[in-house]
Amino acid sequence: ESVLSRIRSFEYSQKNAILVPVATLGVGGMLVYWLRSRHKIKTIEMGDGWWGSGERPLKGKEDESIRPFKIETSDKEIEDLHRRLEQARYAPPLEGAAFHYGFHSSQKKRQGPACHYGFNSSYLQKVVAYWRNQFDWRKQVEVLNKYPHFQTTIEGIDIHFIHVKPSYVPHGRAVQPLLMVHGWPGSFYEFYKIIPLLTEPAEHGLKEGDVVFEVICPSIPGYGFSEAPHQKGFDSIATARIFHKLMNRLGFREYYLQGGDWGSRITTNMAQMLPQSVKGLHLNLVFIGRPGLRRMISVMLGVYVPWLVGLTREDVRRMYPFIQKNIHEVLRESGYLHIQATKPDTAGCGLNDSPVGLAAYILEKFSTWTDKSFLHQDDGGLESKYSLDELLTNVMIYWVTSSIVSSMRFYKENISKDPGLTADARVGVHVPTGIAAFPQEIIHTPRTWAKHIFKNIITYSYMPRGGHFAAFEEPKLLAQDIMHFVRKVEQL
């Protein structure tokens, strides 16, 4: 019996000798898997799409060629524009109205506070007179063609882009590919002033030691010379996927991204989709989703004890009084958004038929989004930051391509969904991020709020001046901030 018991105890100890390490390994493995899954970066699934006309062809590969493209015009196009400008009808403005319904100082006490009415029709007539009699579209087409333009077919639609390389690269210096994405009601033309600063920095007074870029500026599908999607559902995530495919087609495995307005949303989605391809993300507008309890507490305490909720003095200066700056002003400026997110084709058909209506609708944004105080000026302050040639060239890109309706549909496709249920709602941004906060931007996002989504903020800059159209309005300030950000990322 003693011999048998020893044999059994030996067998038992042998089993333990095997089972204990196996169990330990199993538990340890599960723990490691759990820890790794916690730290695994969530991404947006890339997926695929088809936006061409009709059903996707079952056979045959998509034409992946990159084709040179040139913007052209004709006598017929210009004559049609002039005829429509000559036949425009105007509604007379209210007496004393500028870009708002208000009154001069002597009348203010009697008549009450100012209310925003929109584009002043007296000034609009001056703009249209210039457009008809002095604006030279043929000359502006030459300006647009000074950079190389291309088109390529992706997911069934033709994607337009400009691709500008530096003419000279100092020995040993790496050229960084930079994709810059515009928004609404802008276009690729917004970047014409900043491109030379990024591709030839030394020639424009920027530091010799700065990084050098080759710049790719696509037109969002449905904007300008990029074909409009023929199918429903084309949102910022579909755009992000198409632009990743574009960069891959151009031979880039890693690249930097920059965007404001819709360009911010699109490039953020690109960083959420393929973080391994994005070396860095630079934004001049930040989307941070719906406010939660933490942000509400931050707002309530921020005006009294900003340091307690992570706000700086500059944040407080830009955000308060909160109701006025974040509710009243946003409501005043967002009427277009409600129209475009619900009935884009209804409003759009009128704008697509009338160049004067189109100009009023677009140029009003270049007034109040550049500087909120411009609505108190008779000319909307438009010519204090831009020339009429620049402003009308951007309008013409919408006019000659008949793209205002398809550009407005982008709001319907992106905003009609529950923001909490979209694919990007619960996905953080882990790539190195730079944020340029311009003081006249429609809404200010402090760093402490931004970091809930952007987990790796490398630079956050309070810009000294400028508004929504940063590259168009303050190209040098934006270029310097992009370079500052990229230099820091390259040193990591």
Side-chain angles (χ1 to χ4, degrees):
E1 281 181 10
S2 67
V3 170
L4 284 171
S5 64
R6 282 180 185 176
I7 290 168
R8 287 186 191 121
S9 66
F10 177 74
E11 287 174 350
Y12 181 74
S13 63
Q14 285 290 92
K15 282 181 183 175
N16 274 357
I18 296 166
L19 289 172
V20 170
V22 166
T24 305
L25 279 170
V27 172
M30 288 170 68
L31 185 64
V32 168
Y33 176 79
W34 178 73
L35 287 169
R36 287 191 68 181
S37 66
R38 278 188 72 208
H39 292 288
K40 190 178 179 183
I41 294 172
K42 283 185 183 177
T43 58
I44 299 173
E45 191 176 333
M46 189 159 181
D48 201 6
W50 170 258
W51 308 104
S53 186
E55 295 290 322
R56 187 174 201 157
L58 294 172
K59 289 184 179 179
K61 199 178 179 186
E62 188 165 72
D63 176 10
E64 295 189 356
S65 64
I66 293 167
R67 307 175 292 277
F69 175 81
K70 196 171 184 183
I71 298 169
E72 295 176 339
T73 188
S74 65
D75 290 343
K76 185 180 176 183
E77 184 175 74
I78 294 169
E79 285 164 10
D80 175 66
L81 171 71
H82 286 175
R83 177 181 59 80
R84 290 169 186 264
L85 293 177
E86 287 163 2
Q87 293 178 354
R89 298 191 305 169
Y90 302 91
L94 292 165
E95 291 181 13
F99 261 52
H100 63 86
Y101 173 71
F103 299 87
H104 297 299
S105 56
S106 61
Q107 296 172 292
K108 273 183 182 173
K109 287 179 184 175
R110 258 187 312 121
Q111 303 288 357
C115 302
H116 193 42
Y117 254 19
F119 208 103
N120 180 284
S121 60
S122 296
Y123 178 65
L124 180 61
Q125 290 178 62
K126 293 179 185 176
V127 172
V128 173
Y130 180 88
W131 198 358
R132 170 63 184 87
N133 301 313
Q134 291 170 265
F135 179 76
D136 188 342
W137 176 232
R138 290 188 185 279
K139 180 184 170 188
Q140 293 309 113
V141 165
E142 287 180 22
V143 171
L144 290 173
N145 283 325
K146 76 176 181 178
Y147 294 130
H149 292 248
F150 303 91
Q151 277 189 337
T152 189
T153 307
I154 304 176
E155 297 189 5
I157 52 177
D158 290 337
I159 305 301
H160 160 261
F161 62 98
I162 56 175
H163 186 181
V164 188
K165 300 178 182 180
S167 57
Y168 167 73
V169 181
H171 179 70
R173 186 176 299 173
V175 178
Q176 303 295 343
L178 175 65
L179 180 82
M180 304 188 79
V181 185
H182 67 87
W184 186 92
S187 63
F188 66 93
Y189 178 59
E190 281 181 74
F191 301 115
Y192 268 49
K193 291 189 248 182
I194 198 172
I195 285 170
L197 306 182
L198 296 168
T199 56
E200 318 281 351
E203 289 182 24
H204 295 86
L206 298 175
K207 288 180 183 176
E208 183 68 43
D210 280 335
V211 288
V212 176
F213 297 92
E214 58 179 297
V215 179
I216 301 93
C217 299
S219 294
I220 297 170
Y223 288 67
F225 300 99
S226 276
E227 186 178 354
H230 297 268
Q231 312 293 332
K232 291 188 287 185
F234 187 85
D235 58 11
S236 62
I237 292 174
T239 315
R241 181 178 63 244
I242 282 176
F243 287 172
H244 270 310
K245 289 182 177 182
L246 171 65
M247 294 302 276
N248 290 336
R249 196 169 288 184
L250 291 171
F252 299 115
R253 295 182 67 185
E254 289 186 314
Y255 31 89
Y256 284 93
L257 305 174
Q258 203 286 325
D261 197 87
W262 279 127
S264 168
R265 173 84 170 262
I266 292 162
T267 53
T268 297
N269 288 164
M270 290 177 76
Q272 293 168 313
M273 187 178 285
L274 287 179
Q276 67 273 23
S277 295
V278 179
K279 293 183 79 176
L281 170 67
H282 187 279
L283 306 172
N284 54 279
L285 174 66
V286 173
F287 290 96
I288 54 170
R290 291 186 296 188
L293 180 61
R294 183 187 294 180
R295 207 185 312 165
M296 287 171 66
I297 293 168
S298 177
V299 168
M300 288 187 289
L301 296 179
V303 70
Y304 303 109
V305 280
W307 50 269
L308 191 63
V309 289
L311 299 180
T312 66
R313 285 183 182 178
E314 184 62 18
D315 291 328
V316 172
R317 197 179 68 79
R318 294 186 183 194
M319 288 167 58
Y320 295 93
F322 193 83
I323 299 294
Q324 178 197 325
K325 292 190 175 181
N326 296 271
I327 296 178
H328 290 169
E329 288 182 4
V330 171
L331 283 173
R332 185 188 68 204
E333 293 302 327
S334 60
Y336 80 98
L337 186 149
H338 299 281
I339 294 169
Q340 294 175 194
T342 53
K343 307 288 174 66
D345 287 38
T346 303
C349 64
L351 302 178
N352 194 49
D353 190 58
S354 167
V356 175
L358 182 68
Y361 196 72
I362 287 177
L363 296 186
E364 189 244 321
K365 306 305 176 204
F366 280 89
S367 167
T368 52
W369 292 3
T370 296
D371 191 316
K372 300 174 189 77
S373 70
F374 283 176
L375 63 87
H376 300 294
Q377 299 183 26
D378 290 338
D379 63 355
L382 281 166
E383 293 175 72
S384 63
K385 290 284 187 174
Y386 317 102
S387 71
L388 282 181
D389 280 348
E390 289 170 347
L391 292 166
L392 289 171
T393 296
N394 183 66
V395 172
M396 285 295 288
I397 289 168
Y398 283 85
W399 176 253
V400 300
T401 58
S402 287
S403 60
I404 188 62
V405 175
S406 50
S407 77
M408 291 164 74
R409 285 177 185 155
F410 204 57
Y411 285 78
K412 167 73 174 165
E413 301 294 9
N414 282 290
I415 298 174
S416 60
K417 303 160 189 170
D418 182 337
L421 299 176
T422 56
D424 57 343
R426 300 185 186 280
V427 178
V429 177
H430 296 268
V431 304
T433 303
I435 296 170
F438 284 84
Q440 290 294 331
E441 185 53 89
I442 300 163
I443 199 157
H444 175 67
T445 303
R447 180 178 189 144
T448 189
W449 293 2
K451 68 184 183 183
H452 294 304
I453 293 169
F454 300 91
K455 311 294 186 183
N456 190 10
I457 298 175
I458 303 297
T459 62
Y460 183 101
S461 310
Y462 295 101
M463 306 306 281
R465 62 185 179 277
H468 186 73
F469 303 98
F472 203 35
E473 181 194 348
E474 294 288 350
K476 193 164 187 177
L477 281 180
L478 184 62
Q480 286 171 329
D481 200 69
I482 293 167
M483 289 175 168
H484 172 61
F485 164 68
V486 171
R487 204 182 301 117
K488 281 203 159 193
V489 174
E490 291 296 311
Q491 290 168 357
L492 292 176

